Amino acid sequence: AQSVTQLGSHVSVSEGALVLLRCNYSSSVPPYLFWYVQYPNQGLQLLLKYTTGATLVKGINGFEAEFKKSETSFHLTKPSAHMSDAAEYFCAVIESGAGSYQLTFGKGTKLSVIP
Amino acid sequence: SQTIHQWPATLVQPVGSPLSLECTVEGTSNPNLYWYRQAAGRGLQLLFYSVGIGQISSEVPQNLSASRPQDRQFILSSKKLLLSDSGFYLCAWSRQDSYEQYFGPGTRLTVT
């Protein structure tokens, strides 16, 4: 069965500093991986996804993530944090070819940006 | 373009009362539909998903139920709410051939 672990339920960074949100997954088959962002009292918005091909994927709002099979990781990064990046971020995995479209989500990481 | 609607946005209900939350999708046909519950610090829990009208799969045993009376309508119900049903309920949809899920704005349910 697939699972996702997000290290750190709360991360604080200074405005302009590097953002690094960690995600490790467990999957018995090649995974598809996603990062979603959630602003307070809103739904989730897809930031980026990895399915196949290039392991470094770029998303919206300057975020990117790299799929590292050897480390079973899919960490989310952004070179310079903005105040508007303050939100909760969720990593999710789905097993490709399983005939199912059920995402498994991590518990989320709340990002605070300090001015 | 596709849009997904949920209502109501917020709801306060007493224990033991019934529940009906509605989700509708516009701009697509035959979508997969999903209900999630989000409790503080616990991430998202998939409650139900549907691949077609009248086809509902339940992921977690509970006092909630789901129905899909129309292609783009997904309803979450309960006959008697429990305190533990409080949370943020999110509906999502995806295309039949895609893993990407698109989420609605959510309903904040407080059971008192």
Side-chain angles (χ1 to χ4, degrees), chain B residues 41-98:
Chain B
R42 297 181 62 182
L44 278 80
Q45 180 186 36
L46 179 64
L47 302 174
F48 301 94
Y49 71 95
S50 171
V51 298
I53 296 175
Q55 301 179 60
I56 310 293
S57 296
S58 174
E59 288 299 301
V60 181
Q62 62 223 323
N63 70 321
L64 299 172
S65 62
S67 62
R68 185 171 176 172
Q70 300 180 42
D71 181 44
R72 291 169 287 177
Q73 184 185 30
F74 205 23
I75 297 172
L76 183 69
S77 304
S78 174
K79 292 181 179 178
K80 287 187 177 181
L81 283 169
L82 306 172
L83 284 174
S84 58
D85 292 323
S86 293
F88 194 48
Y89 288 82
L90 290 159
C91 181
W93 72 274
S94 69
R95 292 184 177 83
Q96 289 280 341
D97 59 349
S98 173

Side-chain angles (χ1 to χ4, degrees), chain A residues 27 32 50 54 57 105 113:
Chain A
S27 176
Y32 292 164
Y50 168 79
V57 292
F105 285 85
V113 181

Side-chain angles (χ1 to χ4, degrees), chain A residues 4-59:
Chain A
V4 175
T5 301
Q6 290 185 239
L7 281 177
S9 59
H10 200 156
V11 170
S12 292
V13 300
S14 297
E15 191 173 15
L18 171 72
V19 175
L20 170 61
L21 304 182
R22 299 179 187 274
C23 172
N24 288 90
Y25 70 90
S26 171
S27 176
S28 56
V29 299
Y32 292 164
L33 295 156
F34 304 82
W35 274 101
Y36 284 85
V37 60
Q38 184 181 33
Y39 297 99
N41 293 311
Q42 294 186 26
L44 277 69
Q45 180 183 9
L46 181 65
L47 269 180
L48 49 79
K49 64 181 179 182
Y50 168 79
T51 53
T52 57
T55 55
L56 180 64
V57 292
K58 296 184 185 298

